[in-house]
Amino acid sequence: AFVAFALFAVIELRSRAPMVSFSLFRIVPIFGGSATYFSIGAGLMGSMFLLTFYLMRVLGLSPERAGMIIVAMSLVSVIISPIAGALSNRLGVRWFAVVGMLLFAASALYFSRLGSDSQPSFLYVGLVLAGTGIGCTMGPIVAASIRYSPKDKVGMVSGITQMTRSLGGALGIAVVISVLTSATQREMPKAHGNAHIALAMSFRPAFLVVALMYAAGVAFAWMCDRPVER
């Protein structure tokens, strides 16, 4: 994949009509928005994978019930998104983006406390934090990226932003699976060979890695917008 991406970059840089104009990344808000979206994609997809896996494999819930619990995050984001969108137009995007990334990181740290005896209701605080983070970041960041893009490159900038989130999501899931697998193997002796307990103990390091993914995006979130002119 890395080799293919390198070849793609070389071809695009030489093309007269590129699919992705890399010169757009010289515009700080576009670069910041894309990098932040990459961090969000990595952390959010990794976190959702871990939560679904935890609910079904550790707590033994059905896919339907697991989905009904996780959907709380989306409901919160639906409420927060229009509020954050309206306020960010007046106050600027960067503050909402930074706060949103910090809320994402807080949700991952909260989920790192999950254990084999945690109740499904324990997840709701973390889901509310993550849902608020989505509402504060996703819409405002895309709006800021488009606002600072050249008029003839608006569609390309929107596509780039969404592409970076997808790339981040693919990487995030791969990383958390690796961390979870390695941690489970390390915890087996402590769990006296009980794979169920070893798995439950392994979610802490996996969610800590997710928190680091979000934290890495805080600096980029500050770059998503320019100071509001008074």
Side-chain angles (χ1 to χ4, degrees):
F2 283 113
V3 171
F5 181 78
L7 291 174
F8 173 78
V10 170
I11 294 171
E12 292 297 284
L13 289 170
R14 295 181 176 181
S15 175
R16 294 182 179 179
M19 293 173 56
V20 177
S21 178
F22 286 92
S23 62
L24 291 170
F25 292 112
R26 297 175 186 171
I27 303 173
V28 174
I30 293 177
F31 172 78
S34 298
T36 306
Y37 247 50
F38 183 90
S39 178
I40 292 173
L44 193 58
M45 293 302 294
S47 183
M48 291 303 98
F49 171 83
L50 291 173
L51 286 176
T52 305
F53 199 68
Y54 174 83
L55 289 170
M56 295 177 61
R57 294 296 297 273
V58 176
L59 300 187
L61 302 185
S62 66
E64 292 78 12
R65 190 177 177 194
M68 290 301 295
I69 292 173
I70 294 177
V71 78
M73 180 183 66
S74 299
L75 295 176
V76 173
S77 70
V78 168
I79 297 172
I80 298 298
S81 290
I83 300 173
L87 291 176
S88 66
N89 288 334
R90 296 168 50 192
L91 306 177
V93 170
R94 51 171 42 175
W95 290 107
F96 288 88
V98 169
V99 170
M101 296 306 295
L102 293 175
L103 288 172
F104 275 131
S107 71
L109 291 175
Y110 180 85
F111 290 136
S112 70
R113 300 164 56 196
L114 290 171
S116 59
D117 57 348
S118 298
Q119 298 297 316
S121 58
F122 179 82
L123 275 68
Y124 284 115
V125 172
L127 291 171
V128 169
L129 290 172
T132 305
I134 292 174
C136 288
T137 56
M138 294 237 178
I141 288 175
V142 172
S145 298
I146 291 176
R147 183 163 61 248
Y148 291 107
S149 66
K151 298 299 182 183
D152 61 334
K153 295 290 192 300
V154 170
M156 182 182 292
V157 169
S158 178
I160 289 173
T161 306
Q162 299 302 326
M163 177 192 70
T164 54
R165 185 180 68 173
S166 298
L167 290 174
L171 179 63
I173 291 177
V175 169
V176 297
I177 289 176
S178 298
V179 173
L180 189 67
T181 302
S182 298
T184 302
Q185 293 174 350
R186 291 196 306 269
E187 296 294 344
M188 284 293 282
K190 299 178 183 179
H192 304 289
N194 189 318
H196 182 81
I197 296 177
L199 176 62
M201 296 168 63
S202 302
F203 282 89
R204 177 176 174 80
F207 274 114
L208 290 178
V209 169
V210 171
L212 289 175
M213 292 177 181
Y214 288 134
V218 173
F220 295 116
W222 184 254
M223 300 164 61
C224 288
D225 200 5
R226 293 168 183 162
V228 177
E229 296 181 2
R230 301 296 181 183

